[in-house]
Amino acid sequence: EIVMTQSPATLSVSPGERATLSCRASQSVSSNLAWYQQKPGQAPRLLIYGASTRATGIPARFSGSGSGTEFTLTISSLQSEDFAVYYCQQYNNWPTFGQGTKVEIK
Amino acid sequence: QVQLVQSGAEVKKPGASVKVSCKASGYTFTSYDINWVRQATGQGLEWMGWMNPNSGNTGYAQKFQGRVTMTRNTSISTAYMELSSLRSEDTAVYYCARALTTSCPDYWGQGTLVTVSS
């Protein structure tokens, strides 16, 4: 099983600031990496797939990068609606998710 | 618009089975795989498996092999996930999701809470 490790567990950011979230795979997943946003009581929402392609309707302030084992999700200027938990998921092999990064208001 | 509407919450006793439904609309049901993902309260996401609605082919995560069955009824654009031999650790919200690729969910259902308690 490919283990996905996200860091940090919690990120405290002020509105308008940049947020950088990391995700590491225990072995190469090529570019088969997705990012999801989840708010309390809601289903996850796909943000990024293929490591860097924004899903339909996702604002340009969300960007993804990386390949192989190291990936990054960047939110260029945090809006109030962006405070949530973010998960990475590899789908190169049997899919696995990271444990999540909570982005909270500083 | 793409929608996945799941059946309502369930309460089951240990050892029982549960069957959750997922009705798709707004797209051609047989053109995209369906994934099932679960989430225990306050915990992360756990991928359970996939089903191809066109062929009926399935793939299950090793953890659930032998306990999970994913099926579909194409005439009503509905997918089903049945989990047997329930135990307390199976208490979770179960999500169905349309898969953009085989195992990359894009549109998600609202979730179904399954509670296993004696």
Side-chain angles (χ1 to χ4, degrees), chain A residues 35 45-49 52-59, chain B residues 100 106:
Chain A
W35 289 95
R45 173 193 182 197
L46 177 66
L47 300 174
I48 300 286
Y49 64 94
S52 60
T53 302
R54 275 190 302 278
T56 303
I58 302 303
Chain B
L100 189 63
D106 56 355

Side-chain angles (χ1 to χ4, degrees), chain A residues 33-34 36 38 41-46 48-50 55-56 87 89-91 93-100, chain B residues 35 37 39 43-47 49-50 58-61 65 95 100-101 103-111:
Chain A
L33 191 285
Y36 299 88
Q38 189 178 33
Q42 296 185 16
R45 173 193 182 197
L46 177 66
I48 300 286
Y49 64 94
T56 303
Y87 294 95
Q89 179 219 3
Q90 66 80 18
Y91 52 95
N93 204 321
W94 291 101
T96 47
F97 290 90
Q99 80 281 16
Chain B
N35 287 187
V37 176
Q39 185 173 37
Q43 303 300 309
L45 300 166
E46 183 173 34
W47 188 82
W50 60 268
T58 56
Y60 304 140
Q65 290 270 2
Y95 293 102
L100 189 63
T101 68
S103 307
C104 178
D106 56 355
Y107 290 92
W108 296 61
Q110 83 277 18

